[in-house]
Amino acid sequence: MHHAIRIHEHGGPEVLRWDELPMPSPGPGEALVRHAAVGLNYIDVYFRTGLYKPPALPATIGMEGAGTVEAVGDGVTELKPGDRVAYATAPIGAYAEFRTIKAERLVKLPGDISFDTAAAMMLQGMTAEYLLLRTFKVQPGQTILIHAAAGGVGLIMCQWAKHLGCTVIGTVGSDEKAALAKAHGCDHPIVYTRDDFQAKVKEITGGKMLPVVYDSVGRDTFMKSLDCLAPYGMLVVFGNASGAVPPFELGMLAAKGSLYLTRPTLATYTAKREELAGSAAALFGVVQKGVVKIEVNQRFPLKDAAEAHRALEGRRTTGSTLLIP
């Protein structure tokens, strides 16, 4: 037997239950992984609340983990028991002491990357990779805006974008978070609870505005994010921590300067094995070189996942948060 955090219904953090379950065994093409650490991400909240629908209830949520291969199923040749691995893709099921997952969704960890670092960075780091290098390929000399700059994805993006030669503007919720973002490559942190970020962007850019805005906040920032863009600029909405963006008139993009709008997902950008491997390799590379430092600022026992969710939704977290089985 082993334990997992499951939801039997959708709702607040209180619906997260610590269930005892039979030990899983790997089927053909699968590996059984003993988790050493599990990553906490806002997408977990979406599955808990029902914004994203799991295949069925009860469901074990969670998208990201790192650990050791315990066994492999028929047809698996690229992995063996004892291999150190990590992942950050569907299907859900990471909030568990053990889980089975398709072997092709796992990547082997370099020896100098710990389980904690891997579980803290895979989803957020590969998200940063596709956003900066593929969704909108940033160029040296560009000025960009990253919302939630002191969060897990935000801190990684600030460091990576700075390394790529960008001037980074970031929104944060407090002076403490502003200092954290600045220490990780954000040139111009804006405390959105005090300052109008659209006005500050106009001031910082001398009225030229921006080629791209990366927005994981959603409803509360959407309209002003559009207004931060220069003509032909792109708004990349990759999350909705404040709620889903309501319907809007498409002609608005034309009126505001022939703007582009996209809603990408990590699932799409890592759907093919070669894309997953390439994204992970790029992430491992910048971490191993010290270009990107992964900040694990909160740890909770896996059985206390509800408290971790309360902290995340209450904006009491910075950097990455781990759940420890």
Side-chain angles (χ1 to χ4, degrees), residues 189-210:
I190 300 169
V191 181
Y192 68 85
T193 53
R194 184 173 63 230
D195 296 319
D196 182 331
F197 72 82
Q198 179 193 346
K200 293 293 287 185
V201 165
K202 186 174 183 180
E203 175 187 323
I204 292 165
T205 63
K208 294 181 180 179
M209 310 313 277
L210 306 169

Side-chain angles (χ1 to χ4, degrees), residues 3-310:
H3 291 89
I5 290 286
R6 297 199 299 173
I7 55 171
H8 295 250
E9 60 185 343
H10 296 296
E14 70 279 357
V15 304
L16 297 171
R17 288 170 44 176
W18 183 240
D19 289 345
E20 188 174 51
L21 300 170
M23 181 66 71
S25 59
E30 293 183 336
L32 173 66
V33 177
R34 177 199 292 266
H35 285 135
V38 173
L40 176 72
N41 296 283
Y42 222 95
I43 193 172
D44 305 344
V45 174
Y46 302 158
F47 277 105
R48 191 203 75 218
T49 61
L51 178 64
Y52 291 177
K53 301 297 184 184
L57 293 176
T60 304
I61 63 172
M63 296 281 288
E64 175 181 44
T68 304
V69 174
E70 292 287 301
V72 296
D74 291 343
V76 176
T77 58
E78 64 272 24
L79 293 173
K80 65 183 184 304
D83 283 345
R84 301 169 68 252
V85 294
Y87 65 90
T89 58
I92 58 174
Y95 283 23
E97 293 172 328
F98 292 82
R99 77 165 299 183
T100 56
I101 189 169
K102 289 289 186 184
E104 66 178 14
R105 294 285 90 193
L106 297 168
V107 294
K108 291 183 181 180
L109 288 178
D112 55 352
I113 292 181
S114 70
F115 288 132
D116 279 13
T117 297
M121 77 175 185
M122 292 298 292
L123 191 147
Q124 296 166 350
M126 290 196 298
T127 296
E129 183 276 328
Y130 84 74
L131 291 173
L132 292 170
L133 302 184
R134 291 189 280 164
T135 300
F136 181 96
K137 187 174 176 59
V138 299
Q139 302 296 323
Q142 289 181 325
T143 300
I144 68 174
L145 172 60
I146 299 169
H147 285 300
V153 175
L155 288 181
I156 295 172
M157 288 186 72
C158 286
Q159 295 174 82
W160 207 331
K162 188 67 176 175
H163 172 68
L164 293 170
C166 295
T167 296
V168 181
I169 305 171
T171 63
V172 295
S174 67
D175 288 324
E176 292 76 16
K177 289 184 176 183
L180 182 63
K182 194 169 185 67
H184 289 78
C186 181
D187 300 282
H188 302 282
I190 300 169
V191 181
Y192 68 85
T193 53
R194 184 173 63 230
D195 296 319
D196 182 331
F197 72 82
Q198 179 193 346
K200 293 293 287 185
V201 165
K202 186 174 183 180
E203 175 187 323
I204 292 165
T205 63
K208 294 181 180 179
M209 310 313 277
L210 306 169
V212 65
V213 173
Y214 294 103
D215 190 340
S216 61
V217 178
R219 182 180 59 204
D220 290 353
T221 52
F222 181 76
M223 292 306 300
K224 284 191 174 183
S225 290
L226 285 175
D227 288 332
C228 287
L229 291 169
Y232 317 121
M234 178 182 288
L235 175 54
V236 182
V237 179
F238 65 100
N240 39 255
S242 67
V245 176
F248 73 99
E249 172 53 52
L250 191 62
M252 188 187 306
L253 299 177
K256 291 180 180 294
S258 298
L259 304 180
Y260 294 86
L261 171 65
T262 186
R263 180 55 173 93
T265 69
L266 179 63
T268 305
Y269 278 85
T270 59
K272 297 177 181 177
R273 173 66 192 179
E274 57 268 28
E275 293 172 333
L276 172 63
S279 185
L283 174 61
F284 293 159
V286 292
V287 171
Q288 288 173 309
K289 292 174 185 175
V291 169
V292 170
K293 294 179 173 60
I294 305 301
E295 300 288 350
V296 180
N297 293 337
Q298 299 81 211
R299 287 178 173 83
F300 295 84
L302 177 59
K303 64 183 177 60
D304 294 338
E307 186 55 38
H309 276 229
R310 291 185 185 100

